[in-house]
Amino acid sequence: MQTDTRYSIFSCMHNGTLQRLFPTAKFDEPLRRYTAWKIGGPADALLEPRSIEELVAALETARANGIPTTVLGGGTNVLVRDGGIRGLTIRLAKVLNNVEISENRVVADAGVLYPALANATAGRGLAGLEFATGIPGTVGGAVYMNAGAYGGETVDVLAWADIYRDGRVERMANAELDLSYRHSILHEHPDWTVLRAGYVLKPGDAEELKARIRKFRMQRMNGSPSKPSCGSTFKRPPGDFPGRVIEAAGLKGTRIGQIEVSPVHANYLVNHGGGAADDALKLIELVRETVREKLGIELEQEVRVVGEP
Ligand SMILES: Cc1cc2nc3c(=O)[nH]c(=O)nc-3n(C[C@H](O)[C@H](O)[C@H](O)COP(=O)(O)OP(=O)(O)OC[C@H]3O[C@@H](n4cnc5c(N)ncnc54)[C@H](O)[C@@H]3O)c2cc1C
């Protein structure tokens, strides 16, 4: 209750400025509507730019006025805390949607959904992005996370990414992005934004590639919980799988509030409806501590936590 009061006083002070600078944004917008986990407090201002030009203009305005900015793609790998996000939140999924394909080269805006890109490239007989069918986030989020599945990773096919950094746009090559298991250089630079990405793919047979995608989708449908989650909560510990170790620690079905260690796949913490970020964070900590105590294994979080407590 006290936190709510403090929040409303703070946002009254700032909303006038935000409304003047970003008139097309939504204000005090609940972010649970925009995250896969269906969790998250309000954004002071939420902007969904329709073009790269609009995105860059918003980033420049925020920078010039000292407004903190958080960029979300599809919200499929974030835990937005219950106090929400101060300043400007920019969401790119689906609105920044352009894809250009020329021979074996593909350029996709940061908001393009990865499964859609997998379909588009396979349909054109271009091989390499079939793994992306199982990853519900965006091109920008996939660069940030070096997203991967079924033995493929973004690093294998990405040629470059256009990054807005320090007030300018720079094309950074794959090798400069420091891509490794669920990591990129962007983790060390929270103010950098992926605008678009370029991929180099290999020629393939469209029907075979589409069949491969269908096979991956079937595997996913059979092994994943259906309730809202952020997918894998923890990264793979060396030589093991987080789902296996969490299950071995006896944690399947453990619940705090509306958040539960899924009985279907223990690395998924599912939201039974109306779940709070605070409960998700407590459950993450409980899982980490129990696995450490019982098995001596240190689990590292894959999900990114943003916003205020
Ligand atoms: C059911 C389910 C299954 C999943 N399966 C997989 C899987 O198989 N493999 C896998 O790797 N991941 C998986 N994920 C996790 C997630 O989809 C990926 O990490 C994805 O790459 C995140 O993309 P996003 O656009 O949703 O990013 P968000 O969740 O919106 O953001 C994640 C981080 O990236 C940053 N970010 C996003 N866009 C930009 C941008 N344009 N510029 C700068 N920073 C940006 C955000 O600030 C945040 O820190 C799964 C998630 C779910 C819910």
Side-chain angles (χ1 to χ4, degrees), residues 71 73-77 136-138 141-142 144-145 147-148 182 194 220 229-231:
V71 177
T76 63
N77 197 46
T138 61
Y144 184 97
M145 290 304 297
R182 302 301 169 263
V194 180
R220 194 52 74 122
S229 74
C230 65

Side-chain angles (χ1 to χ4, degrees), residues 58 84 94 96 98 116 141 163 167 188 194 226 257 278 280:
K94 296 184 210 160
L96 216 61
N98 198 42
I163 310 280
E188 281 84 60
V194 180
S226 56
D278 197 38

Side-chain angles (χ1 to χ4, degrees), residues 2-301:
Q2 208 186 355
T3 312
D4 285 346
T5 313
R6 275 205 308 267
Y7 164 68
S8 58
I9 293 167
F10 179 93
S11 57
C12 285
M13 284 159 54
H14 290 263
N15 269 1
T17 311
L18 290 170
Q19 281 173 11
R20 181 173 54 77
L21 294 173
F22 307 105
T24 58
K26 293 175 185 157
F27 298 94
D28 288 337
E29 181 71 3
L31 287 169
R32 64 173 182 278
R33 294 182 188 157
Y34 303 87
T35 62
W37 222 342
K38 305 285 175 234
I39 293 176
D44 284 349
L46 177 72
L47 188 73
E48 295 180 281
R50 302 264 152 195
S51 66
I52 301 248
E53 291 70 30
E54 197 190 330
L55 168 60
V56 170
L59 292 168
E60 276 171 0
T61 302
R63 185 180 150 85
N65 290 276
I67 295 179
T69 304
T70 305
V71 177
L72 298 180
T76 63
N77 197 46
V78 280
L79 178 58
V80 178
R81 293 198 285 180
D82 299 317
I85 302 182
R86 300 292 74 79
L88 178 66
T89 302
I90 299 179
R91 184 175 189 267
L92 302 180
K94 296 184 210 160
V95 287
L96 216 61
N97 231 353
N98 198 42
V99 178
E100 283 167 25
I101 302 179
S102 168
E103 297 181 352
N104 65 335
R105 293 178 183 274
V106 178
V107 178
D109 284 355
V112 172
L113 293 181
Y114 237 22
L117 191 62
N119 282 340
T121 51
R124 294 279 291 263
L126 291 174
L129 270 165
E130 303 86 83
F131 73 85
T133 190
I135 303 172
T138 61
V139 161
V143 173
Y144 184 97
M145 290 304 297
N146 182 28
Y150 318 111
E153 276 188 323
T154 300
V155 64
D156 304 334
V157 283
L158 187 79
W160 51 263
D162 279 348
I163 310 280
Y164 179 87
R165 49 181 278 199
D166 311 319
R168 62 181 198 282
V169 179
E170 195 164 311
R171 182 157 294 185
M172 295 181 71
N174 177 316
E176 294 173 290
L177 290 164
D178 196 17
L179 299 163
S180 57
Y181 173 55
R182 302 301 169 263
H183 172 269
S184 72
I185 194 171
L186 287 119
H187 290 215
E188 281 84 60
H189 299 277
D191 53 333
W192 291 9
T193 301
V194 180
L195 306 179
R196 59 168 85 77
Y199 301 83
V200 177
L201 304 180
K202 293 199 168 77
D205 178 80
E207 290 315 310
E208 277 173 25
L209 297 171
K210 285 195 265 180
R212 203 158 173 240
I213 285 180
R214 279 195 298 277
K215 193 181 91 188
F216 287 158
R217 272 206 212 119
M218 286 303 286
Q219 283 176 14
R220 194 52 74 122
M221 269 158 60
N222 294 332
S224 305
S226 56
K227 294 224 180 280
S229 74
C230 65
S232 297
T233 314
F234 297 99
K235 294 185 185 183
R236 282 195 305 269
D240 215 329
F241 293 96
R244 194 204 69 78
V245 301
I246 297 167
E247 186 173 352
L251 287 159
K252 263 190 171 178
T254 306
R255 182 165 172 161
I256 296 183
Q258 292 295 90
I259 315 295
E260 182 189 29
V261 178
S262 168
V264 179
H265 188 317
N267 199 23
Y268 282 53
L269 305 191
V270 295
N271 179 3
H272 284 280
D278 197 38
D279 288 337
L281 286 167
K282 283 183 187 142
L283 191 55
I284 287 172
E285 216 29 62
L286 178 70
V287 168
R288 208 200 308 266
E289 275 170 20
T290 310
V291 166
R292 188 188 299 130
E293 275 166 24
K294 289 196 174 171
L295 305 170
I297 294 171
E298 200 59 48
L299 287 177
E300 193 190 333
Q301 243 167 265

